[in-house]
Amino acid sequence: MTRTFAVLLAGMLVLASCAGAGPPPSGASESPVAGSTTPQPSRAKVVVSYSNVLADFFPAYVAKESGIFDQNLLDVDLQLIASTTGLPALLAGQTQIAHIGGSEALTTTAGGGDVVVVANTGPVWPYQLYAAADIKTPADLKGKKVAIAGVGGTFDIGIRTMLPKLGLVPDTDVTVFSTGSTANATAALLSGAVSGTLSSPPDTLKLEAAGFHSLAKMADLNLPTAATTIVVTRSYLTANKAVVQRYVDSIVQAIAKARADKPGTIAALKKYLKSDDDKGMQAAYDWYVGTVLKDPPTPTAAQLAGIQEVVAKFNDKVRTVDPAKIVDDSFVKSALDRGLLK
C-alpha cells in the first residue's frame, strides 16, 4: 500500500465515522473544548419548584446561593409553588423539577401521572406536635382541632401518621383543620383557633416563646418516610438524563457544603425563610442538617411505602401504586460513587 493511498483511506474512514455519528446527547454541546475531542455539556435552564417556606429545602437554597448550580452548568429558577399545584405544574411542563412531598408523588401516579422520585431529602419526619399549655398529654387533644397546611400535603400525612401512634383517631378524636399554609397553621395555634399543630425549627422557637410546648417528636417514631422528595416526569428524565444527574449532583454537593459551611447555610436560610432571627436559623440548621438529613438523600420504595396507607385514605387508587416503579436511586448513587458527599 502506497503512502498516498493510506492517507486517502484514513481520511475516508474518518469521514464515514463522522457521517454515522448521531446527534449529541441532551444537555451537551457539539463543540469540543480546545485540545479535547470530548463534547462538553452546555448550560441548561431548569425551572424548579419548592412547596413551602421551610428549611426542608435547604439543599436547593444552598446550591443556588453558593453557586453550585452554576458550577454544574445549570441555570436554575427556584419558584415557590404550593404543594397542591406543584405537581400539576410539573406535569404541564411549567416546571421541570419539583421538591415536594412523597405523598403528592403517590397521588399523582395513582391519577395517571408518570413521575419519578430521584432523591429524598426528607427521609426523617421533621415535625413535632405542638400544643397549648393546657394540653398536658395527647389524650387532652380529644375533641379539639389541630391545624395543617393543606389537605393531602406533608403536614396532613404527618399528623395522620402521628396521631394513631399517640392513641388518637384523626377526624374522630381530633378534627384536622386545613389552613392553607404552614404559616397559617402556626398562626392558628398562636391565636387559639386550634389546640395543636405540627411544627419544625425555627417556628418551634416562636411557639415556645408564646408558651406552647412539644407533645411528641415524629423523629422519635423512627418511621420510614418521604417527607420531601425531588420529582421529575419520566418523559423529562428520559430526554434529559444528563441534566437530571447534574441537578442531583448539585443537591448532594450542597448537602456536603451545608455540613462544612454553617455560616453560609444560615445565610441562605435567612434569605429563603425571610428571617433575621439568628437563634431561629441556628436551630433550623442544627435540626435539618444534623438530624433530618444526616444520611444521603437516596430514595427507596420503603420510604414511599411508609406513607402509602395513610395517603390511600384520601385516594383508594394509591393502594395500587408500586413504589418501586416510581423510584430511581441511580442518580444519587452515581453522585455518592463519585464522592460528591465528602
Side-chain angles (χ1 to χ4, degrees):
M1 180 183 295
T2 67
R3 176 179 177 82
T4 301
F5 179 74
V7 171
L8 289 172
L9 179 60
M12 292 170 64
L13 289 173
V14 169
L15 289 172
S17 174
C18 291
S26 176
S29 74
E30 299 181 33
S31 302
V33 173
S36 170
T37 58
T38 304
Q40 297 299 305
S42 58
R43 291 190 67 82
K45 182 171 178 58
V46 187
V47 182
V48 178
S49 70
Y50 62 101
S51 59
N52 252 309
V53 183
L54 295 171
D56 301 56
F57 309 103
F58 80 84
Y61 305 156
V62 171
K64 179 72 172 179
E65 296 306 305
S66 67
I68 290 174
F69 284 143
D70 188 60
Q71 292 164 17
N72 285 321
L73 300 180
L74 295 173
D75 181 5
V76 174
D77 178 9
L78 275 180
Q79 296 187 5
L80 175 61
I81 301 177
S83 59
T84 52
T85 54
L87 277 175
L90 186 77
L91 294 175
Q94 297 168 3
T95 63
Q96 286 73 56
I97 297 173
H99 288 249
I100 205 160
S103 57
E104 284 90 351
L106 287 169
T107 302
T108 298
T109 302
D114 200 2
V115 297
V116 183
V117 175
V118 296
N120 179 12
T121 58
V124 173
W125 281 112
Y127 308 126
Q128 298 181 52
L129 177 59
Y130 270 76
D134 61 328
I135 307 294
K136 306 297 184 183
T137 68
D140 294 335
L141 282 173
K142 283 191 174 183
K144 303 290 199 300
K145 287 182 180 179
V146 293
I148 59 167
V151 175
T154 304
F155 263 48
D156 197 8
I157 302 304
I159 201 74
R160 292 176 186 278
T161 298
M162 186 180 221
L163 289 177
K165 301 295 182 182
L166 303 176
L168 298 167
V169 179
D171 302 321
T172 299
D173 295 329
V174 179
T175 299
V176 180
F177 178 69
S178 177
T179 64
S181 71
T182 54
N184 289 345
T186 299
L189 182 57
L190 287 169
S191 70
V194 299
S195 297
T197 191
L198 293 183
S199 189
S200 59
D203 288 343
T204 52
L205 276 67
K206 183 189 302 182
L207 291 173
E208 288 168 4
F212 297 89
H213 66 110
S214 174
L215 283 177
K217 294 180 180 179
M218 291 197 74
D220 292 341
L221 300 177
N222 296 316
L223 301 172
T225 190
T228 309
T229 59
I230 299 177
V231 180
V232 297
T233 62
R234 196 174 302 276
S235 60
Y236 183 80
L237 177 63
T238 300
N240 300 276
K241 284 188 177 180
V243 174
V244 174
Q245 184 64 67
R246 279 149 54 193
Y247 190 84
V248 173
D249 284 355
S250 299
I251 294 300
V252 172
Q253 289 173 305
I255 295 168
K257 172 74 172 175
R259 292 173 180 174
D261 183 9
K262 185 173 183 176
T265 303
I266 288 176
L269 288 173
K270 284 184 174 181
K271 177 176 178 178
Y272 284 88
L273 272 60
K274 297 178 173 58
S275 173
D276 290 322
D277 180 2
D278 288 325
K279 185 177 179 181
M281 296 302 103
Q282 292 267 354
Y285 175 93
D286 292 341
W287 178 244
Y288 280 94
V289 178
T291 299
V292 174
L293 203 45
K294 62 182 179 181
D295 295 323
T298 308
T300 69
Q303 293 163 346
L304 287 171
I307 60 175
Q308 189 169 15
E309 187 57 33
V310 177
V311 180
K313 292 179 180 178
F314 298 98
N315 182 346
D316 192 60
K317 288 184 178 179
V318 168
R319 292 188 174 89
T320 68
V321 176
D322 181 357
K325 292 183 177 180
I326 63 172
V327 169
D328 187 341
D329 63 5
S330 65
F331 297 95
V332 173
K333 285 186 174 181
S334 174
L336 298 178
D337 288 344
R338 287 176 282 123
L340 299 187
L341 194 56
K342 295 178 181 178

